[in-house]
Amino acid sequence: VQLQASGGGLVQAGGSLRLTCVCETGGTYNKPAIGWFRQAPGKEREFVAGAWSGGSLFYADSVKGRFTISRDNAKNAVYLQMNDLKPEDTAVYYCAGTYGANWAVSDMLLWGKGTQVTVSS
């Protein structure tokens, strides 16, 4: 199973971006839960939002009401729609997968390459 993240870029504060994570399962039927994480310079990687294969969604408090995660199982894709972006959202964003029960960074089994999101003030 491999994850491919894309969609980052430079945007002004208040703007929007949509990130895409494609999960290449290689025919594996068991789809992992997919989450988005981010890491700003000098800070630890943190959970942003997650989508279980069954449809349940979870968000970090810092992005609730601004970010929306969605999952298209037919396309093996997970999206992160980011609205009302703030300079503090600037970070490298990663998608990650797990077959476990929580969203701790240490519990993620699969990681995609990061995509840079930069929000200017």
Side-chain angles (χ1 to χ4, degrees):
V1 179
Q2 293 185 340
L3 304 178
Q4 300 285 345
S6 62
L10 173 64
V11 65
Q12 290 187 333
S16 299
L17 284 173
R18 189 174 86 152
L19 306 183
T20 298
C21 178
V22 176
C23 180
E24 300 174 359
T25 63
T28 303
Y29 178 78
N30 190 15
K31 299 182 187 299
I34 300 294
W36 287 98
F37 294 74
R38 66 187 180 186
Q39 188 166 17
K43 295 187 177 182
E44 294 186 351
R45 193 169 297 187
E46 63 177 4
F47 170 75
V48 176
W52 295 106
S53 58
S56 297
L57 307 175
F58 292 87
Y59 297 93
D61 288 343
S62 59
V63 305
K64 282 181 181 177
R66 299 188 299 122
F67 291 10
T68 302
I69 189 170
S70 59
R71 185 171 183 139
D72 186 337
N73 284 331
K75 296 182 179 179
N76 290 329
V78 174
Y79 308 100
L80 185 67
Q81 178 66 42
M82 304 184 295
N83 298 328
D84 190 24
L85 282 161
K86 303 176 181 181
E88 51 264 42
D89 294 317
T90 295
V92 178
Y93 284 69
Y94 301 87
C95 61
T98 181
Y99 295 100
N102 63 66
W103 296 108
V105 171
S106 59
D107 288 338
M108 297 297 110
L109 298 178
L110 311 162
W111 288 94
K113 291 183 179 180
T115 183
Q116 177 71 46
V117 172
T118 302
V119 185
S120 62
S121 57

